[in-house]
Amino acid sequence: MARNGSNTKVNSYRQNGASAPSSSGSPSPTYKPLPTFIRLFFYGLHGFFDEIVFTAIYEIIYGIPDARLLGYTSLYSFFIYSTGSYIIEQLYLFLWVKHGISTVPRIILYVCVAFIWEFSFGLILRQFDACPWDYSDRALNFMGLITLTYAPGWAFLGFWQDRLSVYLLNLRIVPDHQKVM
């Protein structure tokens, strides 16, 4: 599935950090995209949020219901989610923007990447007795580091990451001379 021709010029400008040309044909002022380290930071914080919400809801459904809605995470999750989300962002650019591959195949690939990422980090952390998760008591687990029962959750987060990547990649930093405040 190829992208339509009308978006080609706009996508070219976006990839180069500039906005689309004005009606006169000249490019608008150049706005810089968000630097990678800011996107990584955002992805890490977003991963913290996702994990805290997920664990709070999980405990209500499968654990001991607690009206305080306590969720939890580990500081390792910041790095795991920030780098994993960045990989998904880059896959989005390669698969959709460059090759026009539709959503469903991308989501399937994202779920596979999430499992590989979770397993890899879990295996490394386990070597230092620092792995904050253990799925040994869950069905369809592999070495207690991943469980296929989480595939729908990873699929949802992969779809959400697609949308989030589009948003963050389209954010621009306004030059100082054009800032309102």
Side-chain angles (χ1 to χ4, degrees), residues 52-53 55-61 63-72:
I52 290 168
V53 169
T55 55
I57 292 171
Y58 186 89
E59 286 302 315
I60 288 173
I61 296 171
I64 300 168
D66 186 341
R68 297 175 297 165
L69 297 175
L70 297 176
Y72 51 89

Side-chain angles (χ1 to χ4, degrees), residues 3 11 14-16 33-34 36 39 43 85-101 106 109-110 161-170 172:
R3 306 284 268 162
N11 286 336
R14 285 184 180 152
Q15 289 172 353
N16 294 323
L34 289 180
T36 302
R39 294 194 320 272
Y43 291 146
S85 294
Y86 182 74
I87 289 170
I88 300 297
E89 171 192 290
Q90 295 304 302
L91 282 171
Y92 168 80
L93 290 172
F94 180 77
L95 296 172
W96 174 245
V97 175
K98 189 171 183 179
H99 295 291
I101 295 175
R106 288 195 324 266
L109 180 61
Y110 298 164
Q161 182 63 41
D162 243 22
R163 307 288 67 87
L164 195 58
S165 294
V166 170
Y167 179 74
L168 289 179
L169 290 167
N170 281 300
R172 296 290 182 252

Side-chain angles (χ1 to χ4, degrees), residues 110-122:
Y110 298 164
V111 169
C112 293
V113 168
F115 280 131
I116 291 168
W117 208 244
E118 183 178 29
F119 179 79
S120 299
F121 271 99

Side-chain angles (χ1 to χ4, degrees), residues 34-89:
L34 289 180
T36 302
F37 77 91
I38 290 177
R39 294 194 320 272
L40 283 167
F41 183 73
F42 181 85
Y43 291 146
L45 290 178
H46 192 271
F48 270 164
F49 172 77
D50 289 346
E51 184 127 339
I52 290 168
V53 169
F54 174 79
T55 55
I57 292 171
Y58 186 89
E59 286 302 315
I60 288 173
I61 296 171
Y62 298 107
I64 300 168
D66 186 341
R68 297 175 297 165
L69 297 175
L70 297 176
Y72 51 89
T73 190
S74 164
L75 289 178
Y76 294 117
S77 295
F78 182 87
F79 181 73
I80 295 168
Y81 279 109
S82 64
T83 55
S85 294
Y86 182 74
I87 289 170
I88 300 297
E89 171 192 290

